[in-house]
């Protein structure tokens, strides 16, 4: 049994981060305010695959975008609603700066 019982393992986690997003979050050069906005977004996303202000991306079925808090950027992600819970793939983060 894992010491981190409160956290789902990767196999059962409905959210998958692209390698680009993982690198972005692991980069010590990522500003703290942007990092915290992304983490807050991921928390919201875990509760609802279509958080407030989320919009479908035209011409890209299943893709959505949503702004980060404090207008620090935009997150693009895909939602597979055919699964329960829906599977979410966070593909990229576009910073406003």
């Amino acid at each position: 049994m894992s010491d981190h019982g409160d956290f789902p393992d990767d196999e059962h986690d409905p959210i998958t981060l692209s390698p680009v997003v993982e690198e972005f979050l692991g980069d010590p050069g990522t500003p703290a305010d942007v990092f915290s906005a992304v983490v807050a977004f991921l928390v919201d996303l875990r509760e609802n695959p279509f958080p407030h202000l989320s919009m479908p991306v035209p011409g890209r079925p299943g893709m959505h975008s949503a702004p980060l808090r404090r207008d620090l950027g935009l997150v693009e992600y895909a939602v597979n609603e055919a699964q329960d819970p829906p599977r979410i793939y966070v593909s990229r983060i576009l910073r406003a700066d």
Side-chain angles (χ1 to χ4, degrees):
M1 183 148 111
S2 169
D3 290 338
H4 305 289
D6 293 341
F7 299 100
D9 59 28
D10 288 343
E11 181 180 329
H12 296 98
D13 189 349
I15 297 175
T16 302
L17 304 178
S18 73
V20 171
V21 172
E22 286 182 353
E23 184 178 321
F24 176 83
L25 291 174
D27 182 352
T30 299
D33 59 344
V34 176
F35 180 88
S36 66
V38 172
V39 171
F41 177 80
L42 293 174
V43 169
D44 291 345
L45 195 60
R46 189 171 298 286
E47 295 173 4
N48 177 5
F50 307 105
H52 182 65
L53 300 177
S54 171
M55 299 287 296
V57 175
R60 296 181 71 195
M63 288 296 294
H64 297 269
S65 65
L68 291 173
R69 294 179 183 176
R70 299 181 302 274
D71 295 323
L72 293 171
L74 190 72
V75 177
E76 287 189 349
Y77 64 99
V79 178
N80 179 349
E81 294 182 84
Q83 295 185 291
D84 185 28
R87 301 291 296 179
I88 301 165
Y89 182 76
V90 180
S91 58
R92 66 182 178 158
I93 297 165
L94 306 168
R95 287 179 38 187
D97 57 357

